[in-house]
Amino acid sequence: MSQARTHARQAAVQALYQWQMSGHNLGEIERQFLEDGRLKDAQKNYFNELLFGVPKNLEAIDQLLAEFVDRPIDKIDPVERAILRIGVYELEHRPDMPYRVILNEGINLAKCFGADGSHKYVNGILDKVAQKKRAAEVKSKKSAGTKIQGPG
């Protein structure tokens, strides 16, 4: 996975956190991030996709999350909530991206921005979403991992 895309996700977590907490206009938040130089190492079009795609699909994302979380969505730590929403968005809208990459990125975001141990929570939830939304991909990866490969 490209560093520029990782930086886009990191910026998107911060921007979505800001949006969740302040309710500010998404365009205004985007402008701030551009002006602050926080997107200089980021894939800007991917940042935009996440910043605008998550709120646009928020109802469906939160409905899916609600099936797997242990509390109401609004009671989840806001940083974890932003990370989970990005992960669910990617699992739903980016079939070109392997689910394991999405889970790994979510774990890394939680380690970077979340509370101690939050990466375990994020991993558990996103793994359950992946099993539901990417069942064939998850199954093929798991069965591929258990096959013994003979010499070439």
Side-chain angles (χ1 to χ4, degrees):
M1 191 54 39
S2 78
Q3 280 300 107
R5 188 164 282 180
T6 295
H7 288 298
R9 276 190 194 88
Q10 290 170 342
V13 167
Q14 294 171 315
L16 288 169
Y17 172 86
Q18 183 177 335
W19 170 73
Q20 289 173 159
M21 300 308 287
S22 70
H24 288 151
N25 176 286
L26 292 169
E28 176 62 25
I29 292 171
E30 176 190 32
R31 186 188 61 71
Q32 287 174 6
F33 273 69
L34 287 165
E35 287 178 2
D36 293 352
R38 287 189 269 183
L39 299 178
K40 73 177 175 71
D41 295 328
Q43 190 177 350
K44 290 176 186 67
N45 62 338
Y46 199 65
F47 169 80
N48 275 12
E49 179 181 339
L50 296 174
L51 178 62
F52 292 96
V54 168
K56 179 181 175 191
N57 295 281
L58 193 62
E59 189 175 324
I61 289 169
D62 283 357
Q63 278 181 342
L64 188 54
L65 275 175
E67 294 180 41
F68 303 107
V69 295
D70 56 352
R71 61 196 100 150
I73 302 295
D74 65 339
K75 300 292 185 204
I76 296 172
D77 175 86
V79 172
E80 292 172 15
R81 189 168 57 225
I83 294 167
L84 287 168
R85 285 172 167 171
I86 288 171
V88 170
Y89 174 86
E90 289 178 323
L91 287 166
E92 283 272 69
H93 298 277
R94 296 305 304 249
D96 57 310
M97 223 176 276
Y99 85 95
R100 287 188 178 194
V101 169
I102 296 168
L103 266 62
N104 193 49
E105 289 285 314
I107 291 165
N108 289 337
L109 289 168
K111 285 180 178 178
C112 182
F113 297 112
D116 283 347
S118 67
H119 66 283
K120 294 174 188 170
Y121 183 73
V122 167
N123 179 47
I125 302 301
L126 291 180
D127 185 58
K128 290 174 186 169
V129 174
Q131 288 178 41
K132 177 175 180 161
K133 291 307 205 175
R134 303 259 190 114
E137 184 184 353
V138 170
K139 185 178 181 198
S140 73
K141 292 284 187 209
K142 286 188 176 165
S143 64
T146 59
K147 289 181 184 168
I148 298 172
Q149 297 293 324

